[in-house]
Amino acid sequence: MTEVLTHDLLIVGGGAAGLRAAIAAVEVDGSLDIAIVSKVFPMRSHTVSAEGGAAAVLREDDNLDLHCFDTVRGSDFLADQDVVEIFVKNAPEEIIQLEHWGCPWSRDSNGKISARAFGGMSVKRTLYASDKTGFHMLHALFQTSLKHASIQRYDEWFVTSLLVEEGRCVGVTALNLTTGELYPIVARAVLLCTGGGGQIFPFTTNASIKTSDGMALAYRAGAALKDMEFVQYHPTGLPGTGILITEASRGEGGHLVNKEGERFLERYIPGKMELGPRDILSRSIMTEMEEGRAFEGLYGQYVHLDLSHLGEKLIDEKLPFVRELVVKFVGIDPVHVPIPVRPVVHYMMGGVSTDINGKTSLSGLLAAGEVACVTLNGANRLGSNSLTECLVFGALSGKAAAHDVLERKPVPQNPIQQLAEEERKRISKKFLEKEGGKERVSSLREEMHLTMEKNCGVFRTGQGLQEACTTLRELRERFDDVVIEDRGRVFNTDLTAALELDFMLDAAECITHSALAREESRGAHSRLDFPQRSDEKFLHHLLSYATPQGPRLEQQAVTITRWPPQERKY
Ligand SMILES: Cc1cc2nc3c(=O)[nH]c(=O)nc-3n(C[C@H](O)[C@H](O)[C@H](O)COP(=O)(O)OP(=O)(O)OC[C@H]3O[C@@H](n4cnc5c(N)ncnc54)[C@H](O)[C@@H]3O)c2cc1C
């Protein structure tokens, strides 16, 4: 019998949300035994690549109501407003807390934390540490977590399933990637902080580890996913690689220009221009492409992001990483030459449905960060709200999870062995000891990518979405016949790629089914066959529940406190 590993609280994910949650839980009770499981070393979590900054009201020309309103309007009135209010209220103290933990925020000459403009924000509110904000934040959180001996880590362990006993989540099964051994890890509460799933699409800014694992784990265990149809395209990625050119480059004054040399945003959002929200900018660029005003290159169409008028000094001071990336990956220097860019999949507004404290509909299971949908972002997230979301809701869920643990009895161990044994058999039978099988992970993944890009991108139609639903169902069936070549145990990336594809197929189905059901255009969800927003029919969230036939959808009311829905104007 395999050893059963036991902790009080188990956090899956070592990015900003997971680390912030762990520290919050220790602060509730230092004697709690807390573990963090992460499929990569925590400092390699996607948070590390965040560039632009984290939003919070810290400056005199700003106020809490304005940040609330910007977020609600940015969400196209689908955010839950009680959530937005808590978020905005807690954000400043989280930023200052991070300062005390050693995050080296950039400073103005008067010593205050520097802020830059970001899309959809009415004032300069995006606080930054040069253009490596995620790197510095994650470092500060990681170092702080190391001070607490009661936080243990399982680095390079891959969670394959949630253990559910009598309607309660009691732990996970996880593969130790170094040995290939599968272990049950039991806990009185499990907090998912596994990040997003941009890899469901072929062209994305997201690291290759962002494969919607936590969403699929929760969904399979019976919890609901929420607002999955809302997938954010960032307007400025490098063609070919999808590497992000941060919004900070527009915040600092960069221009978007088409083939004719026009600042074409004049046509679409003259009041905000480059500082418009991401959904509107992405649609504008796609329209320029469709109407023949974009450049044609090796990797398809693109427009220019011109920073050359900003000057070398400003670029080196405020955007050094942008310069480094463009020199290395495009071979041009943005100080002198415009950068080729195009919209790229960046972020999932949807995720595991939670309340303000991260609790899901499954007892013992919580979620925070990008994997969760606490419903801050609604139909479109504003840039720089996400890092702060990880801090605010990471902290609230870490606290709630710790209190949950203190109230619960230890988990009985008997059924755990059996549940873990079933999972071990599933993985053996399906992958490691499978006889026959003719489908390849890479080709199924490619087919998923093709249908998602073609039918579920910036612009969508009912017909295309129906096609995507059908294709994904077929891929789900064909996945049963998948075969992996590496049957070894040590760092079997063939196996983890198969498990990740399995997760992505589940999340992709939730995205396309919800998108098909939402017959309106709102935020990042733009239906050519239903171009208007319809508050009468669709001012609600869509919840996806797993069934053997695919997702079953349910509606949930939007919480409106102080900002009644109105036309979204900039
Ligand atoms: C290039 C880029 C730039 C960005 N810039 C900004 C910005 O400037 N401002 C902003 O607000 N937002 C930005 N974002 C968004 C923001 O960075 C993310 O939404 C946020 O960092 C997510 O943090 P997280 O803690 O939820 O997840 P992540 O940082 O993605 O961490 C996920 C963790 O879960 C673990 N994990 C996942 N699956 C498993 C599994 N099966 N088993 C075990 N462990 C698992 C991983 O190992 C990892 O530790 C950016 C995103 C990208 C991609």
Side-chain angles (χ1 to χ4, degrees):
M1 267 210 304
T2 330
E3 186 189 353
V4 178
L5 304 164
T6 307
H7 299 278
D8 292 327
L9 168 62
L10 184 67
I11 297 171
V12 187
L19 293 175
R20 182 67 192 87
I23 300 165
V26 177
E27 286 176 348
V28 169
D29 185 337
S31 69
L32 287 180
D33 165 4
I34 297 163
I36 299 177
V37 188
S38 174
K39 67 179 174 179
V40 295
F41 186 74
M43 278 306 300
R44 300 181 70 97
S45 304
H46 188 73
T47 299
V48 82
S49 62
E51 300 166 28
V57 174
L58 274 188
R59 296 163 73 93
E60 279 129 30
D61 61 349
D62 200 0
N63 65 70
L64 299 180
D65 276 4
L66 195 57
H67 191 186
C68 285
F69 177 68
D70 285 346
T71 303
V72 170
R73 178 171 60 166
S75 82
D76 219 342
F77 295 88
L78 202 72
D80 281 344
Q81 296 180 7
D82 52 345
V83 172
V84 175
E85 290 191 62
I86 291 269
F87 165 74
V88 166
K89 182 169 147 283
N90 289 9
E93 67 195 56
E94 284 296 330
I95 297 289
I96 292 167
Q97 178 64 75
L98 221 61
E99 151 89 14
H100 295 169
W101 287 335
C103 182
W105 298 111
S106 294
R107 301 279 173 186
D108 289 349
S109 53
N110 63 6
K112 298 218 161 145
I113 296 178
S114 301
R116 57 167 51 117
F118 242 58
M121 302 279 189
S122 298
V123 294
K124 289 188 178 178
R125 180 184 290 140
T126 299
L127 310 159
Y128 60 90
S130 184
D131 60 354
K132 297 189 177 74
T133 310
F135 170 86
H136 289 302
M137 285 176 60
L138 198 61
H139 249 295
L141 290 165
F142 187 53
Q143 288 179 147
T144 307
S145 77
L146 292 177
K147 287 189 195 152
H148 299 284
S150 57
I151 302 177
Q152 295 186 43
R153 293 209 324 273
Y154 295 88
D155 294 342
E156 299 183 331
W157 284 52
F158 185 108
V159 172
T160 66
S161 75
L162 298 181
L163 297 169
V164 180
E165 248 300 294
E166 290 169 7
R168 169 180 162 194
C169 181
V170 293
V172 305
T173 52
L175 269 176
N176 176 349
L177 294 175
T178 322
T179 63
E181 262 320 301
L182 185 87
Y183 290 86
I185 311 182
V186 300
R188 281 186 253 179
V190 175
L191 171 51
L192 291 173
C193 298
T194 49
Q199 288 289 330
I200 293 170
F201 291 78
F203 187 61
T204 176
T205 63
N206 283 195
S208 55
I209 52 172
K210 294 193 74 172
T211 45
S212 68
D213 303 11
M215 296 177 195
L217 288 168
Y219 176 69
R220 290 175 190 176
L225 302 187
K226 190 178 358 178
D227 292 344
M228 291 295 283
E229 62 274 38
F230 300 105
V231 176
Q232 176 162 78
Y233 275 76
H234 193 293
T236 60
L238 294 180
T241 57
I243 290 172
L244 177 80
I245 300 301
T246 170
E247 194 159 316
S249 51
R250 282 173 283 123
E252 297 298 345
H255 293 163
L256 284 169
V257 180
N258 66 13
K259 187 171 75 170
E260 267 128 53
E262 291 173 297
R263 282 180 70 195
F264 55 88
L265 291 172
E266 195 76 57
R267 253 194 293 287
Y268 307 93
I269 181 163
K272 280 267 180 191
M273 296 295 287
E274 280 80 3
L275 293 177
R278 292 175 175 175
D279 53 340
I280 298 180
L281 262 53
S282 293
R283 280 196 288 277
S284 309
I285 297 175
M286 297 303 280
T287 309
E288 290 298 295
M289 291 176 172
E290 270 158 32
E291 295 181 357
R293 290 186 295 275
F295 301 90
E296 205 44 83
L298 202 56
Y299 305 105
Q301 293 190 307
Y302 62 89
V303 295
H304 273 157
L305 172 63
D306 191 3
L307 308 184
S308 57
H309 56 284
L310 300 180
E312 188 164 10
K313 184 168 176 290
L314 183 140
I315 292 176
D316 280 347
E317 208 175 285
K318 304 255 175 93
L319 304 166
F321 193 42
V322 168
R323 187 174 186 187
E324 187 185 324
L325 284 173
V326 176
V327 168
K328 280 199 181 136
F329 288 91
V330 195
I332 57 171
D333 187 346
V335 168
H336 308 293
V337 184
I339 311 168
V341 292
R342 56 154 285 185
V344 53
V345 167
H346 184 55
Y347 182 86
M348 292 179 66
M349 270 68 79
V352 182
S353 176
T354 71
D355 69 8
I356 283 179
N357 291 310
K359 296 196 179 174
T360 71
S361 53
L362 179 64
S363 157
L365 183 70
L366 300 92
E370 192 173 341
V371 68
C373 181
V374 59
T375 341
L376 169 70
N377 303 304
N380 174 62
R381 169 178 75 93
L382 292 189
S384 73
N385 266 356
S386 168
L387 286 175
T388 314
E389 172 179 2
C390 290
L391 298 176
V392 169
F393 295 102
L396 287 174
S397 343
K399 248 181 245 169
H403 286 294
D404 238 27
V405 165
L406 293 170
E407 283 158 22
R408 281 173 200 278
K409 292 194 196 68
V411 175
Q413 302 251 329
N414 292 343
I416 301 297
Q417 286 283 4
Q418 189 197 327
L419 289 172
E421 200 43 47
E422 282 165 18
E423 177 65 356
R424 192 171 297 113
K425 280 197 194 131
R426 180 184 79 95
I427 292 176
S428 289
K429 216 167 119 213
K430 221 169 159 177
F431 306 109
L432 289 173
E433 282 156 31
K434 179 151 178 185
E435 305 282 341
K438 61 178 187 318
E439 298 285 358
R440 301 272 151 188
V441 170
S442 54
S443 31
L444 295 182
R445 188 173 50 214
E446 196 178 334
E447 288 183 48
M448 172 184 74
H449 280 166
L450 284 176
T451 198
M452 293 308 282
E453 182 164 64
K454 172 168 167 244
N455 299 312
C456 203
V458 172
F459 293 112
R460 303 163 170 186
T461 63
Q463 199 187 357
L465 289 166
Q466 186 57 65
E467 184 185 310
C469 291
T470 311
T471 306
L472 289 170
R473 194 70 326 221
E474 285 162 11
L475 292 176
R476 172 46 69 226
E477 278 157 22
R478 284 169 54 195
F479 188 82
D480 288 339
D481 205 22
V482 86
V483 58
I484 62 169
E485 249 156 53
D486 185 355
R487 303 289 168 111
R489 294 292 189 262
V490 177
F491 276 105
N492 187 338
T493 49
D494 235 12
L495 174 62
T496 47
L499 293 167
E500 287 172 341
L501 176 62
D502 200 358
F503 290 142
M504 289 192 285
L505 286 171
D506 280 353
E509 274 204 302
C510 297
I511 294 174
T512 52
H513 280 259
S514 308
L516 182 62
R518 185 171 285 279
E519 296 183 332
E520 64 158 357
S521 290
R522 184 188 295 270
H525 173 68
S526 183
R527 288 276 300 251
L528 294 173
D529 43 354
F530 295 98
Q532 302 303 325
R533 191 177 94 193
S534 166
D535 285 341
E536 301 87 75
K537 288 201 196 143
F538 291 102
L539 187 61
H540 54 241
H541 306 295
L542 281 176
L543 300 178
S544 306
Y545 289 94
T547 78
Q549 295 76 40
R552 173 177 65 79
L553 301 180
E554 254 180 39
Q555 298 178 4
Q556 191 184 67
V558 175
T559 307
I560 292 174
T561 57
R562 290 160 55 205
W563 297 275
Q566 49 173 260
E567 192 192 341
R568 182 166 167 239
K569 281 203 286 228
Y570 287 97

